[in-house]
Amino acid sequence: MTIVSKQFLDQVRLNRESVPSFDEYPFCLDAVREMDTLKIDPRVTIFVGENGSGKSTLLEAIAVKWGFNAEGGSANFRFETRRSHSDLHRHLVLSRGIRKPKTGYFLRAESFFNVATEIERLDEEPGFGPPLINSYGGVSLHEQSHGESFLSLVLNRFGDEGFYILDEPEAALSPSRLLALLVRIHHLADRGSQFLIATHSPILMTLPGATIYRLGEFGAEQVDYEETDHWRLTDRFFRDPESILAQLLDDEVGDPVEE
């Protein structure tokens, strides 16, 4: 008997037969080269890894394959400031459930400025509907701090039963605002929303029940947040910052702290 998934995105598979070469970017990235099928959590799936591990590249490819604009926004955004996304999306197969989200959004920290500019441009065009900015709290995102604009998006634009892809959403947030984001994500997941998140934040990794994939030389490994380098190094630093700093400041090369 075939079991039909009721979540928005059930799994992501790399069509390895269609990949032109695993020696070329982005297919040479360990996370992509070793990829087969990733099971997606019905609530929250988190991708972690070092800089250059491929988590943002993978998240971007999933977003584009889903139908989002590569620079971010809802599925209705179709602007392009600079084409920089890879062709990985052309080789992904998304297994979708029978339910369709009521709303959705792709948040990229690095290009959110471009999204805010596009919102202002669209609102300057003649139209019969209410201004687009009303869905974001009614205040120009450019007239707020980076962190405030992030929270305006999440608190006002995100709704129940939505599909959301967030690439490093912690980038502009203070610890207290980061906790507010965590609470908002948790509440929306309780109300039928599904999240895919790439992050370096140990705080976001503690989201209750989240599935965490660590991307690295062995591909994508499912781990608990206490097993991530992000958590272990942060925990070690706060337990004994003096010794960590002494080791770092005495190291002329500046190598990473050994676990």
Side-chain angles (χ1 to χ4, degrees), residues 154-200:
V154 176
L155 295 176
N156 296 288
R157 176 59 180 78
F158 287 14
D160 299 353
E161 298 182 51
F163 181 67
Y164 304 109
I165 300 180
L166 314 181
D167 185 17
E168 300 186 6
E170 73 276 9
L173 299 179
S174 68
S176 63
R177 297 299 176 89
L178 191 53
L179 288 171
L181 174 63
L182 183 151
V183 171
R184 179 64 171 163
I185 291 172
H186 182 68
H187 287 169
L188 286 172
D190 281 344
R191 298 197 288 266
S193 292
Q194 187 178 22
F195 287 84
L196 274 67
I197 305 171
T199 185
H200 290 292

Side-chain angles (χ1 to χ4, degrees), residues 8-259:
F8 304 131
L9 179 60
D10 183 63
Q11 63 182 25
V12 178
R13 179 174 64 85
L14 176 65
N15 183 6
R16 303 183 65 85
E17 292 75 18
S18 72
V19 172
S21 171
F22 283 100
D23 293 325
E24 300 175 1
Y25 180 85
F27 310 103
C28 61
L29 295 171
D30 291 333
V32 179
R33 188 176 61 245
E34 302 298 327
M35 181 179 173
D36 185 5
T37 299
L38 290 178
K39 181 68 177 175
I40 304 300
D41 192 278
R43 292 170 54 90
V44 180
T45 302
I46 295 176
F47 298 103
V48 304
E50 271 298 332
N51 294 329
S53 62
K55 59 186 181 302
S56 291
T57 300
L58 177 58
L59 209 69
E60 171 194 82
I62 295 172
V64 173
K65 187 69 174 183
W66 184 270
F68 290 119
N69 187 58
E71 292 186 44
S74 71
N76 296 323
F77 281 61
R78 283 294 175 265
F79 72 96
E80 183 175 271
T81 305
R82 179 179 182 274
R83 192 184 189 283
S84 59
H85 61 283
S86 73
D87 287 332
L88 177 57
H89 65 280
R90 303 182 187 278
H91 306 277
L92 295 184
V93 178
L94 305 185
S95 296
R96 309 188 187 208
I98 59 173
R99 293 173 60 229
K100 292 185 177 180
K102 291 182 178 180
T103 185
Y105 214 89
F106 176 32
L107 169 62
R108 296 192 68 164
E110 66 179 32
S111 57
F112 189 58
F113 178 93
N114 302 339
V115 173
T117 301
E118 178 67 4
I119 291 171
E120 290 191 347
R121 186 191 71 79
L122 292 172
D123 278 344
E124 290 174 355
E125 295 182 350
F128 297 102
L132 190 59
I133 194 61
N134 287 2
S135 298
Y136 294 78
V139 179
S140 170
L141 298 176
H142 282 313
E143 295 177 5
Q144 305 176 58
S145 73
H146 205 182
E148 289 173 330
S149 64
F150 270 36
L151 279 186
S152 291
L153 166 69
V154 176
L155 295 176
N156 296 288
R157 176 59 180 78
F158 287 14
D160 299 353
E161 298 182 51
F163 181 67
Y164 304 109
I165 300 180
L166 314 181
D167 185 17
E168 300 186 6
E170 73 276 9
L173 299 179
S174 68
S176 63
R177 297 299 176 89
L178 191 53
L179 288 171
L181 174 63
L182 183 151
V183 171
R184 179 64 171 163
I185 291 172
H186 182 68
H187 287 169
L188 286 172
D190 281 344
R191 298 197 288 266
S193 292
Q194 187 178 22
F195 287 84
L196 274 67
I197 305 171
T199 185
H200 290 292
S201 170
I203 291 178
L204 285 183
M205 293 175 200
T206 66
L207 270 160
T211 293
I212 301 175
Y213 286 109
R214 177 174 58 201
L215 275 53
E217 61 180 318
F218 301 108
E221 305 172 281
Q222 187 172 339
V223 297
D224 294 328
Y225 70 84
E226 297 98 330
E227 298 178 88
T228 65
D229 292 340
H230 304 70
W231 174 269
R232 285 157 48 189
L233 182 55
T234 302
D235 180 59
R236 181 181 168 190
F237 181 85
F238 284 118
R239 286 177 183 274
D240 190 5
E242 289 81 8
S243 65
I244 296 290
L245 287 171
Q247 179 181 340
L248 288 171
L249 298 176
D250 287 343
D251 187 348
E252 295 181 0
V253 179
D255 291 333
V257 177
E258 294 183 1
E259 293 292 336

